[in-house]
């Protein structure tokens, strides 16, 4: 791969609030080489004149479900491998075109999909995956309607794995389930720590898993030098998950000020997912979201922005996620404009770059522009630090996208 030198760039490095003008950045062997204010020599390099546009790290979405082909989880289980994979290819290609050069599939993504991406069979961002989510019976991963007694294929499979989750009860089953996902290459493990929107039998406020079960899964992840992420809406579920060793909270929608302060002091992260809440409120019924889930969406929608405000006030470290299901995947970029109601552009940009890289344990490698970092870059037509909506236009304001040193889109 020939070296590339970007010149005349307005540089956002993923951290610094003030962009440097007239910068040059070299890319050699899929890595960033020099970053300097003057010309970088290299006779065999392709030179790209950025023309004063903003050169910044590729975006990171920490909460996707590539196989989630419907807003109705039961339909996902019954759709079949081919259909769900086709949806994954469409969704991941769209994410890449929007400037997301890294995603974390936090429920369902697997080694097969990761290998297809690595082998170039699917256009996609850099792909991290958590395998199947571990859920207790009656938890957010248990998809049986309340009148169904037994575990059936296509609903949920006790001791086996469905598309998105696996049911495990008690310490021994939890340990076995975590070990199995880690054996298959999961980068982290996700558990269901509270009730959720799309499951039929668990109230949003419900705490899920006992302390010994959560600590057992956390222990397995520590032995693999990775972490546990916990689906949590309610404040009590968030607090107990963090206290039991969970490193990342997904959603955190109903957090209160006291819990936000507790999370900040613990050093744990939260990955809010606002785009899916708005999408399900506005389109859920038309797309087949069950009535019981429509009522749950109203609960989280009413509190979601206040939750972001509590996190910001407490100084919680916040990552960037969207959690879009089925046909709502096209709303991925809306996460920027929703967060704008609470955060300044620089805060959102850090959330979508350097902080999300820290959550992935890839600090200094992803989400930044620095010597030695991976060459995942985008060129924005304009200044996203002044107008974050430039990133909310489905990639239309991106002149160039580079993933792993390869140019995916080039209007320059």
């Amino acid at each position: 791969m020939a070296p590339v030198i970007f010149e005349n760039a307005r540089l956002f490095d993923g951290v610094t609030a003030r962009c440097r003008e007239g910068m040059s950045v070299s890319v050699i062997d899929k890595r960033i080489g020099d970053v300097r204010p003057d010309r970088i020599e290299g006779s065999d390099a392709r030179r790209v004149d950025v023309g004063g546009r903003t050169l910044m790290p590729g975006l990171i979405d920490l909460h996707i479900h590539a196989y989630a082909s419907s807003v109705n989880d039961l339909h996902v289980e019954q759709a079949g491998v081919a259909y769900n994979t086709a949806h994954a290819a469409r969704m991941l290609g769209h994410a890449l075109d929007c400037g997301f050069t890294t995603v974390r599939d936090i429920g369902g993504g697997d080694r097969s999909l990761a290998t297809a991406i690595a082998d170039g069979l699917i256009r996609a961002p850099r792909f991290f995956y958590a395998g199947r989510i571990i859920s207790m019976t009656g938890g957010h991963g248990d998809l049986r309607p309340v009148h169904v007694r037994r575990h059936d294929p296509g609903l949920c499979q006790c001791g086996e794995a469905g598309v998105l989750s696996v049911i495990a009860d008690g310490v021994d089953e939890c340990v076995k389930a975590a070990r199995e996902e880690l054996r298959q290459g999961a980068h982290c493990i996700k558990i269901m720590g509270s009730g959720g929107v799309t499951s039929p039998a668990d109230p949003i406020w419900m705490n899920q898993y006992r302390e010994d079960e959560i600590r057992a899964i956390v222990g397995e992840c520590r032995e693999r030098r990775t972490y546990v992420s916990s689906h949590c809406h309610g404040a009590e579920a968030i607090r107990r998950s963090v206290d039991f060793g969970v490193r990342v909270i997904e959603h955190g929608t109903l957090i209160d000020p006291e819990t936000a302060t507790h999370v900040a002091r613990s050093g744990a992260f939260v990955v809010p997912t606002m785009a899916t809440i708005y999408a399900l409120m506005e389109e859920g019924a038309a797309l087949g979201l069950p009535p019981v889930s429509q009522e749950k969406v109203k609960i989280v929608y009413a509190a979601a922005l206040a939750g972001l405000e509590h996190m910001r006030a407490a100084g919680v470290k916040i990552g960037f996620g969207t959690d879009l299901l089925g046909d709502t995947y096209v709303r991925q970029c809306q996460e920027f404009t929703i967060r704008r109601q609470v955060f300044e552009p620089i805060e959102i940009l850090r959330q979508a770059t350097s902080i999300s890289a820290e959550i992935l344990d890839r600090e200094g490698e992803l989400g930044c522009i620095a010597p030695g970092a991976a060459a995942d870059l985008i060129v924005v037509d304009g200044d996203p630090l002044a107008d974050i909506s430039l990133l909310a236009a489905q990639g239309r304001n991106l002149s160039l996208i580079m993933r792993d040193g390869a140019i995916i889109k080039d209007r320059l």
Side-chain angles (χ1 to χ4, degrees), residues 36-199:
R36 55 181 9 166
D38 52 356
R39 179 181 173 85
I40 297 174
E41 298 301 326
S43 59
D44 61 339
R46 176 192 170 188
R47 295 186 177 274
V48 178
D49 184 358
V50 179
R53 297 173 180 85
T54 303
L55 178 67
M56 62 174 285
L59 305 170
I60 302 173
D61 189 337
L62 289 179
H63 196 125
I64 72 157
H65 301 286
Y67 288 138
S69 57
S70 171
V71 301
N72 187 317
D73 285 348
L74 186 54
H75 293 171
V76 175
E77 295 292 334
Q78 296 171 336
V81 174
Y83 189 91
N84 290 335
T85 303
H87 169 77
R90 178 180 64 169
M91 174 190 187
L92 291 167
H94 177 268
L96 185 60
D97 290 338
C98 289
F100 289 92
T101 54
T102 298
V103 295
R104 183 187 63 163
D105 190 316
I106 199 66
D110 55 22
R111 190 174 197 86
S112 178
L113 183 57
T115 302
I117 293 168
D119 289 349
L121 301 179
I122 295 176
R123 291 182 66 254
R126 195 180 297 269
F127 188 74
F128 293 81
Y129 63 96
R132 272 83 170 191
I133 309 162
I134 303 176
S135 171
M136 70 181 205
T137 295
H140 184 41
D142 189 336
L143 305 182
R144 291 172 296 164
V146 293
H147 66 277
V148 173
R149 290 179 178 269
R150 65 186 185 280
H151 292 272
D152 281 338
L155 298 173
C156 69
Q157 304 175 23
C158 192
E160 301 291 338
V163 175
L164 302 179
S165 60
V166 60
I167 305 301
D169 295 302
V171 169
D172 288 346
E173 284 189 10
C174 287
V175 167
K176 183 176 181 179
R179 287 175 176 172
E180 180 59 27
E181 297 307 320
L182 291 168
R183 182 190 71 82
Q184 296 183 57
H187 297 96
C188 64
I189 293 294
K190 180 183 174 185
I191 65 172
M192 298 302 194
S194 84
V197 169
T198 57
S199 45

Side-chain angles (χ1 to χ4, degrees), residues 88 213 236 284 290 292-293 319 322:
E213 293 168 315
E236 185 178 358
V292 64
S293 294
T322 58

Side-chain angles (χ1 to χ4, degrees), residues 227-266:
Y227 63 92
V228 174
S229 186
S230 181
H231 160 102
C232 293
H233 285 293
E236 185 178 358
I238 295 167
R239 178 181 287 268
R240 66 195 298 272
S241 288
V242 169
D243 286 347
F244 301 158
V246 167
R247 180 170 176 263
V248 184
I249 300 297
E250 306 298 321
H251 312 300
T253 320
L254 306 179
I255 198 169
D256 57 30
E258 295 75 22
T259 303
T261 298
H262 184 71
V263 171
R265 287 174 178 168
S266 76

